[in-house]
Every structure is written in C-alpha cells, then in structure tokens.
C-alpha cells in the first residue's frame, strides 16, 4: 500500500496497494492544501440551505443515504478489504454499524434539535420564559483514522449532518479509497453538497483544522495533542477520541469460557487495530491457569488472512507491524513467554500471528504502551484490589471490561476503574450503545461521541432566549428607579434567594 507519514507532503496521484497482497486497490488524487479553504467555503455556503431544511427534511436525505449504504454494502466491503487487507469478518461490521447509527439518529434528531424550555431558578424570575436553541456550527472537520476507514469516517459525520452542519472529511492517507466511495454514495442518494472529502497527510489535516468551525479527530494521543493546539489558535472547539490500553479483569467467579472467548475476540478482532481492543488482562490466581488454557485453545483455532474464511487480516503497514514485533520481542527478552505466535508470519503482507503472552508485568511495553496489534498479554494477580490498581496504572483511560458472575460486584469494580466506559461480561459492546457517551479519560481523549441526543448537540452552539411573560416587574432594577426602590428590590431578592438555603441548613 502507499505508505506515508503524517509529515510527508503528498501531491498528484498515487497508486494504493493492499498491505496483505501488494495488489493494486485503486488510485488517489491528493488535495492541494491551499485548496481546502475554498472547499470549506463552498460547504459553508451550502450549509445554510441544509440547516433551513429542518430536522425532518434532513432526516429524509439521511434515510435515503442509509438505504444506499445497505444496497451497496458488498461493493463497499470489497474496496475496504482491498485497501486495508482486512478479513471478511473484520470488514463485515462497518456498514451495518453505520446503518444502525443512521437509523437511531433519524429517530431522535427532531427531538435533539428542538428548542428546550428551562424553568426559572427562583420564583421571582417566573416572569421570564427561558428557551435554549441549538444552532449548528457551519463546517465540521472530521479527521478519521485508518483502522475503520468506513465506520470512523462517518460515525461522527452522521451526527454533524443531523445537526445541520456541513462535513469536511479527511480520511487517513493510508486508507483514502473508501471515503471517496462514501462521498459518491451521498451524492448518488440525493444528498446536497454538504459533504466533501479532501485527501492528504499533515498539511491537509492542518488546513482542515484551520478551515472548520468544529474539529472531530480520532487517532493517536500524540497527534491529538497537536490537533488541540492548532484548534486552540482560533478558539475552535474540538473532540478527541484517542488511544487506549484497555484492561480486562477476570474474577475468580467468572465464566471462564465466556471470558476467554471475549478476550480473544476483543484482542484479535481487526488484527488488534481497535482503539477499544483488549490490550492487557488481569486474572485472579485461582482461575489463572484455566483461563490461560482456554485462551490458547481459542487462539490456536484462529485463521489469519485477508478476504473470505479468515478471522482477522493484515496490519495496515510494516510500521505498525514493527511496533507489535518490538513489544513481543522486548517482553520475551525480559522473561515473558509467547504461548502462541511470537514472530512475524512468513510470506507476503504485513501479517502477525495471534500472540498470547504470559509472565508479563508493568516493566514491559506490551503492558503499558498501546500495541494496536494481535497480542494478548495476561498477568496473574492476587486480588481484585491489585487488579484495579494495575488497570488504573496507565496514562490511558478509554474503556475496560470486568468478568464476574456477580453483576453487582462487577459494577462495584467498574466504578473504580478510571476510564470512559466499562463492559461487564463483554468487550467492545459499548461501541454499539449509541445512547451512551463514548469518551476517554486521561490521554485517551477529550469529549465524547454518541451519547443519545448529546451526540448531535455537540456539533451545535447553544443560544439562550429570555422572553417576558408579562411586562410586570420589568425594569425593577434600572437606573431610572429611586435609590429607595432599588434597596427594596435588592432586599427582596436576597430574602427570596436565602429561603431554600435556610430550610436546607436546618
């Protein structure tokens, strides 16, 4: 595949090659960074009519797009596999997820965008009608990663479009092709010119930030900091969904087969290239051996390769594979053991076999740095308290999972974990819960995607309108009143405001 780095200047047209086979997947025309401002200006102009359609009008256009996605799912997945080297199992999840999100957003967007009334804080303010209106930010810049180039390209764009914004999408320079197909589908389904795609690396991403009214970035923590710094120059709001090192805790009363199945799927799905993948496991010593044996059994049954009949595919590039290799080699050199895999797969493509590591600890990068590869480090712990302490001993805080037959106990553990979401007796499932916010703590991000109507409103500005119910009382504290009248007004305000604190203090 065309391999570029965020610092590489791109121009002209390049051939995109599959990281699994080296076959040509397609061609991409790189956007000149100087053109991005004009593209954003065109979106900003078209956005005004899109906003005027109202939520119901926008819902019709988005429903047609959902139908197009369903009808062209096979075409999208073929291109997705060609440019990423995914297995069919990996690729099959992305379009259905988008259709699910669209279906939900279509249902709630009218409610999300409707003005809200707010009560008066004190009885004396009941003479006012308070309403909050949600006004879309004209252009939302979406900078998407390469690991899910279909889902991550649109899962945030859907909320922005529902809010009445225009969307300026910059896909990863490593996976540019599917974004073009998604844009073509928007146009083919009758969508207006409020969705544009620009292609490139760092310079184009910077131009997107400089030309947008809101920035949604998904990617590494290091790059996220740079996005935040650049957006801050213009006081442009942003939301960052960044890296993770998600822990799993397996209690002594867990369903071991279920936990093992979940750990293997959560670690190996998409070759481990998932922000909320299982990257480290802490198992109570009473069930450690049984859990490890079940994990090895499941891993040995996996089939690695691109396309049909395989469980997971290639890593996106040799650079990504090198990180996985380093983490495994360093761990083994420090005393860990690889029970499966452990070395790069021979032959063509950036494949790395599923690798189970034991004898690991927090002195090893495989337990502290984001791997983003098909590895599963497992650590024995003496107590749940130790598991919680180790799970929280990380600069990351995206999500986690807890396995126990006692759901109440699992919830007690969950609320002690420093992360944005915890799955109980499951992994990754919070991604499907669009009514819940998905956001990271610490270096895993700022803000959240999804969260019900908040996933739409995040792309809006709030405008409060305070209107009179009656003219009685208006101007009570204006300068034209006598000093005696102002003193009476201030005294009344103080007494009324103190009424509740006095009652509460008794």
């Amino acid at each position: 595949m065309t391999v570029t780095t965020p610092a590489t200047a791109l121009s002209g047209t390049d051939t995109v090659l599959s990281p699994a086979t080296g076959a040509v997947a397609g061609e991409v025309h790189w956007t000149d960074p100087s053109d991005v401002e004009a593209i954003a200006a065109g979106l900003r102009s078209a956005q005004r009519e899109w906003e005027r359609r109202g939520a119901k009008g926008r819902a019709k256009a988005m429903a047609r797009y959902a139908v197009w996605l369903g009808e062209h799912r096979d075409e999208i997945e073929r291109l997705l596999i060609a440019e990423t080297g995914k297995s069919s199992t990996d690729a099959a999840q992305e379009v259905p997820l988008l259709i699910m999100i669209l279906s939900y957003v279509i249902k709630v967007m009218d409610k999300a965008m409707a003005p809200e009334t707010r009560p008066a804080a004190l009885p004396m303010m009941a003479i006012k009608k308070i309403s909050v209106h949600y006004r879309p930010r004209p252009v939302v810049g979406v900078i998407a990663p390469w690991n899910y180039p279909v889902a991550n390209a649109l899962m945030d764009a859907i909320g922005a479009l529902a809010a009445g914004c225009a969307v300026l999408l910059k896909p990863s320079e490593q996976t540019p092709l599917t974004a073009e197909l998604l844009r073509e589908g928007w146009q083919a389904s009758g969508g207006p010119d409020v969705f544009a795609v620009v292609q490139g690396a760092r310079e184009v991403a910077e131009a997107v930030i400089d030309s947008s009214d809101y920035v949604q970035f998904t990617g590494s923590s290091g790059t996220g900091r740079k996005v935040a710094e650049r957006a801050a120059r213009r006081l442009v709001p942003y939301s960052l969904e960044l890296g993770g090192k998600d822990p799993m805790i397996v209690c002594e009363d867990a369903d071991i087969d279920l936990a093992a199945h979940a750990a293997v799927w959560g670690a190996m799905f998409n070759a481990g290239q998932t922000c909320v993948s299982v990257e480290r496991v802490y198992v109570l010593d009473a069930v450690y051996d049984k859990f490890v044996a079940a994990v090895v059994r499941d891993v040995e049954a996996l089939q690695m390769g691109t396309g049909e009949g395989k469980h997971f595919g290639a890593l996106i590039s040799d650079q990504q594979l090198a990180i996985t290799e380093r983490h495994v080699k360093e761990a083994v050199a420090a005393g860990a053991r690889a029970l499966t895999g452990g070395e790069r797969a021979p032959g063509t493509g950036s494949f790395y076999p599923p690798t189970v590591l034991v004898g690991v600890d927090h002195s090893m990068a495989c337990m502290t740095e984001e791997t983003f590869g098909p590895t599963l480090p497992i650590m024995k712990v003496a107590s749940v308290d130790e598991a919680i302490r180790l799970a929280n001993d990380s600069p990351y805080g995206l999500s986690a999972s807890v396995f126990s037959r006692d759901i109440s106990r699992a919830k007690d553990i969950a609320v002690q974990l420093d992360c944005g979401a915890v799955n109980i007796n499951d992994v990754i499932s919070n991604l499907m819960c669009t009514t819940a916010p998905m956001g990271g703590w610490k270096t895993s991000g700022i803000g959240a995607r999804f969260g019900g109507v908040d996933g739409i409103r995040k792309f809006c500005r709030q405008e409060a309108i305070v209107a009179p119910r009656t003219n009685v009382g208006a101007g009570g504290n204006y300068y034209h009143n006598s000093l005696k009248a102002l003193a009476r007004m201030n005294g009344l305000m103080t007494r009324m405001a103190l009424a509740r604190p006095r009652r509460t203090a008794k």
Side-chain angles (χ1 to χ4, degrees), residues 398-467:
L398 195 53
S399 63
S401 55
V402 178
F403 281 75
S404 170
R405 296 180 192 271
D406 185 338
I407 303 301
S408 178
R409 180 194 187 199
K411 287 182 178 179
D412 288 341
I413 296 169
V415 296
Q416 298 179 68
L417 299 177
D418 298 337
C419 59
V422 180
N423 295 291
I424 293 175
N425 293 338
D426 203 353
V427 294
I428 307 180
S429 59
N430 62 296
L431 268 177
M432 308 295 177
C433 301
T434 53
T435 56
M438 179 196 173
W441 294 15
K442 299 185 277 189
T443 61
S444 286
I446 293 176
R449 61 163 53 105
F450 302 148
V453 297
D454 290 339
I456 299 173
R457 289 175 178 170
K458 69 180 262 187
F459 299 109
C460 298
R461 299 158 292 187
Q462 295 185 46
E463 182 178 7
I465 297 179
V466 180

Side-chain angles (χ1 to χ4, degrees), residues 93-281:
Q93 308 260 347
E94 298 198 40
V95 173
L97 175 61
L98 290 181
I99 295 173
M100 182 187 74
I101 295 170
L102 275 161
S103 180
Y104 172 73
V105 165
I106 288 166
K107 181 176 69 174
V108 303
M109 57 194 286
D110 191 35
K111 175 185 175 183
M113 296 303 295
E116 289 184 334
T117 58
R118 300 288 172 87
L122 295 171
M124 68 178 299
M125 291 303 297
I127 60 173
K128 301 295 184 182
K129 294 180 181 179
I130 305 169
S131 59
V132 178
H133 298 250
Y134 296 92
R135 303 280 304 281
R137 299 182 186 275
V139 176
V140 171
V142 177
I143 303 175
W146 47 257
N147 58 333
Y148 293 98
V150 171
N152 268 321
L154 284 185
M155 62 171 57
D156 297 300
I158 287 168
L161 289 168
C165 312
V167 170
L168 179 58
L169 169 65
K170 192 209 85 70
S172 168
E173 63 274 19
Q174 299 197 71
T175 52
L177 301 179
T178 44
E180 296 289 353
L181 182 56
L182 294 174
R183 181 190 59 80
E184 291 169 11
W186 174 258
Q187 293 179 328
S189 62
D193 293 330
V194 291
F195 177 27
V197 174
V198 292
Q199 302 282 10
R202 188 189 69 190
E203 292 84 355
V204 174
E206 290 172 346
V208 168
I209 298 168
D210 294 343
S211 304
S212 299
D213 305 297
Y214 186 102
V215 178
Q216 172 68 50
F217 172 78
T218 303
S220 72
S221 299
T223 305
R225 288 188 181 93
K226 295 176 182 177
V227 170
E229 291 168 359
R230 194 168 189 99
R233 298 177 189 176
R234 296 174 50 239
L235 296 181
V236 170
Y238 53 83
S239 181
L240 309 175
E241 200 270 296
L242 307 177
K245 190 70 180 176
D246 287 6
M248 171 191 282
I249 295 176
V250 181
C251 298
E252 76 282 353
D253 64 342
D255 180 331
I256 297 303
D257 274 340
L258 174 64
H261 295 332
V264 173
W265 185 77
M268 306 304 170
F269 181 74
N270 203 40
Q273 299 171 122
T274 304
C275 59
V276 291
S277 65
V278 177
E279 289 235 355
R280 50 197 172 114
V281 186

Side-chain angles (χ1 to χ4, degrees), residues 42 331 495:
R495 289 192 297 275

